[in-house]
Amino acid sequence: MNEALPDVPEVRVVGLPQLTSGFDLVERLDLPMHLKVHGPLEPMGGEQLAQLSERISLKGRGGAGFPFHKKLRSVAEAAIKRGVRPVVVVNGSEDEPACRKDTVLINRAPHLILDGALLVAEALGARTLVVGVTRESTQRSMEAALSERGLSNRRGAAIRARVQRNPIRMVTGAAASLIRSIDGGPAIPPGRKVSASQNGVGGAPTLLSNAETFAQLAIAARIGAERYCNTGLYDEPGTVMLTVSGAVARPMVLEVPTGVPLRYVLQLAGAPPVPQGVLTGGYHGKWIDAATVNEAIVSRNSLDAVGGALGAGAILPISQETCPLGESLRVAQWLADESAGQCGPCYLGLPAAARGMADILNGGGPAALEALKQVAKAVKRRGACSHPDGSAMFLESTVKAFTDDLAAHVLGNGCGRPVEGVLPLFEDGQLPAGISSGQQQEESGPSRQKIYVDWTLCRGHGLCADILPEVFELGADGFPTVAQAQVPRYAETKALRAVRRCPALALRLEEDTRSAPQARNNLPVLSQGRGRRALGR
């Protein structure tokens, strides 16, 4: 049931398209086609833009749901007070294996995102625009879009615009991580919470928001608040972009008006008629059971009311034939691996929580359940970013949603159902579960990869030696004793895990073309889907 989830999966729309207008005509809307479909966009003043955002109740679509008009006014006030020009940042870092809606927009409608970002930049008087991405396909599409508009990072330009490419890790999507990377540091949270609106890129007030948020703003600026509010619910007007995967026949990205029944969305993707549960909001989201699915509609308030979450717009049903606790354990283990390794509650707490879930499945009894609850409670609100909070929320929701299965594992011999792996994950350096790489992983033969240490970033955490002792030893100073080394073929997945888990992002892998004439990409990349053809690559 679990099919591939490429960068650009199938896209469908319920009702009249807004963000996805023109998708039926071309694979990617270049600038001329974008203008034909959407028309020109007139500039707006800062207060006018804030009032528009407030009238349409525009909230951030990256998961947090912060009101956009408040962020806009906060940045403007800080810039005026300090007498500095603000910065605008588009966050297109979509690093969760189950999310593709921003990736679809960047690959297929990049100019709609740029419309909103440039509208904000002009209103605020910003002279710097940065688009953060983590995928090769989104980097290509956005760089092409900037070129089509004649925008560059050249000194003296009216507005300097560029793309910031970061590694694919859960924590790189955090606002603080993206800002830190733009300033030249590693793409991990800085360890202290600072408001980007007050002190962002280069210390300047920074308006940072999700890619879909800017696209929604561009639609509203064109058609006006009244017409925009004619779609969807009264208190949450407009459309939302959803990624539906998991136990479905057709993984897809959908644009739907708010107010559409959740069960209808699941039917479109071919989900089981009576799913055992549905994970809403992605891997920092919450489970709802089958009975609740029939009550829920697609809106932030509705999903919150039934115990779910809109979050980043990921919807993942599972069938009655799989063990929900086993499926959740796989996610918990992945979330633990995605820690930046800086904060004890995250670096130590999340692996402990995953072990607690494993203990429950392995017959640990009530003591294991209580230990899991205590660990999940302990990690919340104590990290440098929201990763431990979201992970703890996911674990607590799992325990709450599947009480019958929990009782079977805690008090009996388990539920007797297998773990099918229907929730897509990046696992041990491989492609997301259910995505075929097209090649068999061989464990013998000559090395095909080299691993490098970037000494400008390395801080001597020592995780590389723990994960990859075949290659790394630590010297008396606590730092690796080698700067580069061949990776044995049998240890390639461990090498990639070391790269992904290095807290300072000081490791990188490269293909060793001398020992591998038939070179392949050593890092896992998702299928580019239709986006590759759309860019003519």
Side-chain angles (χ1 to χ4, degrees):
M1 258 191 156
N2 186 18
E3 294 187 0
L5 192 62
D7 278 16
V8 185
E10 177 185 358
V11 179
R12 297 191 66 180
V13 61
V14 176
L16 296 176
Q18 290 188 358
L19 302 180
T20 57
S21 292
F23 281 23
D24 58 332
L25 302 175
V26 292
E27 295 295 322
R28 177 183 180 275
L29 279 73
D30 59 14
L31 185 56
M33 180 58 73
H34 168 74
L35 292 174
K36 286 181 181 178
V37 170
H38 293 285
L41 181 60
E42 298 296 325
M44 300 176 69
E47 182 56 29
Q48 186 182 7
L49 203 57
Q51 290 177 4
L52 171 66
S53 304
E54 190 170 7
R55 286 187 63 190
I56 66 172
S57 300
L58 181 61
K59 294 183 178 180
R61 301 301 176 90
F66 190 79
F68 189 81
H69 70 92
K70 292 184 178 180
K71 186 180 295 186
L72 187 61
R73 288 192 172 106
S74 177
V75 172
E77 290 169 2
I80 293 171
K81 183 177 180 179
R82 294 172 52 189
V84 298
R85 290 193 180 274
V87 176
V88 175
V89 176
V90 178
N91 193 349
S93 308
E94 198 169 39
D95 305 317
E96 197 170 313
C99 295
R100 291 294 184 278
K101 53 103 173 174
D102 291 322
T103 303
V104 163
L105 286 175
I106 295 174
N107 271 293
R108 301 197 63 184
H111 288 285
L112 198 59
I113 298 165
L114 286 179
D115 277 348
L118 292 170
L119 197 66
V120 170
E122 185 165 354
L124 291 173
R127 293 293 180 264
T128 302
L129 168 65
V130 183
V131 182
V133 300
T134 53
R135 302 177 190 275
E136 180 186 355
S137 64
T138 49
Q139 179 182 8
R140 289 200 317 268
S141 181
M142 190 54 73
E143 286 180 343
L146 293 177
S147 178
E148 289 164 5
R149 287 179 180 250
L151 296 173
S152 70
N153 198 31
R154 186 182 68 254
R155 287 184 178 274
I159 182 166
R160 298 180 65 176
R162 68 181 180 90
V163 176
Q164 172 73 26
R165 172 86 179 271
N166 288 328
I168 298 181
R169 290 181 68 181
M170 188 74 164
V171 295
T172 60
S177 300
L178 179 53
I179 289 173
R180 191 178 185 186
S181 70
I182 293 170
D183 282 338
I188 56 178
R192 58 189 180 91
K193 295 183 179 180
V194 178
S195 169
S197 298
Q198 305 299 315
N199 189 1
V201 175
T206 299
L207 192 146
L208 183 149
S209 200
N210 166 263
E212 184 193 342
T213 313
F214 285 107
Q216 293 283 0
L217 183 65
I219 292 292
R222 277 187 169 87
I223 66 177
E226 183 176 352
R227 184 177 164 193
Y228 185 94
C229 292
N230 286 337
T231 299
L233 299 171
Y234 173 79
D235 58 342
E236 292 183 52
T239 64
V240 294
M241 297 287 286
L242 304 173
T243 311
V244 186
S245 63
V248 297
R250 302 167 65 186
M252 61 178 63
V253 168
L254 294 105
E255 182 183 16
V256 303
T258 55
V260 168
L262 181 60
R263 64 177 180 276
Y264 180 65
V265 169
L266 295 172
Q267 288 171 4
L268 287 176
V274 184
Q276 182 175 189
V278 177
L279 181 58
T280 59
Y283 296 155
H284 278 177
K286 298 179 180 180
W287 289 99
I288 58 177
D289 59 28
T292 306
V293 168
N294 292 325
E295 304 172 15
I297 61 175
V298 177
S299 82
R300 189 175 302 277
N301 291 339
S302 171
L303 288 171
D304 286 345
V306 298
L310 180 60
I315 306 294
L316 300 105
I318 60 172
S319 71
Q320 300 283 351
E321 286 72 43
T322 188
C323 173
L325 301 184
E327 296 289 347
S328 297
L329 172 60
R330 294 176 60 251
V331 175
Q333 291 169 335
W334 180 79
L335 290 170
D337 284 343
E338 289 298 291
S339 168
Q342 305 185 108
C343 310
C346 187
Y347 172 53
L348 300 174
L350 296 187
R355 289 193 297 269
M357 180 71 76
D359 287 344
I360 291 173
L361 285 165
N362 293 327
L369 175 59
E370 187 59 30
L372 172 62
K373 291 180 178 179
Q374 290 299 320
V375 171
K377 182 179 179 180
V379 302
K380 290 191 294 186
R381 294 180 293 278
R382 296 177 60 202
C385 68
S386 61
H387 182 55
D389 296 345
S391 302
M393 181 170 68
F394 167 79
L395 289 165
E396 290 174 337
S397 172
T398 301
V399 171
K400 183 178 178 181
F402 302 108
T403 53
D404 291 345
D405 292 85
L406 193 65
H409 284 279
V410 171
L411 303 176
N413 296 319
C415 66
R417 287 173 290 184
V419 178
E420 298 177 336
V422 296
L423 303 181
L425 290 175
F426 301 106
E427 293 186 299
D428 293 336
Q430 303 300 317
L431 294 175
I435 301 181
S436 172
S437 66
Q439 299 183 18
Q440 296 296 321
Q441 296 291 327
E442 300 176 7
E443 294 191 354
S444 59
S447 171
R448 297 170 296 185
Q449 297 178 348
K450 292 187 74 173
I451 192 165
Y452 296 82
V453 179
D454 185 339
W455 295 117
T456 65
L457 296 177
C458 182
R459 295 293 180 268
H461 291 94
L463 280 179
C464 56
D466 291 339
I467 297 173
L468 196 62
E470 297 91 341
V471 172
F472 291 113
E473 291 183 4
L474 300 182
D477 58 359
F479 285 81
T481 57
V482 296
Q484 57 178 284
Q486 298 288 144
V487 177
R489 179 170 291 197
Y490 71 85
E492 286 180 347
T493 57
K494 294 171 66 177
L496 184 54
R497 190 185 308 133
V499 171
R500 289 174 58 80
R501 293 194 62 183
C502 175
L505 300 182
L507 300 178
R508 77 178 190 274
L509 278 172
E510 290 185 4
E511 192 76 25
D512 185 359
T513 55
R514 294 173 303 173
S515 61
Q518 302 296 324
R520 64 172 175 82
N521 289 332
N522 60 290
L523 294 180
V525 292
L526 300 181
S527 167
Q528 304 302 316
R530 294 181 289 180
R532 181 181 295 275
R533 297 196 300 274
L535 289 170
R537 297 292 177 91

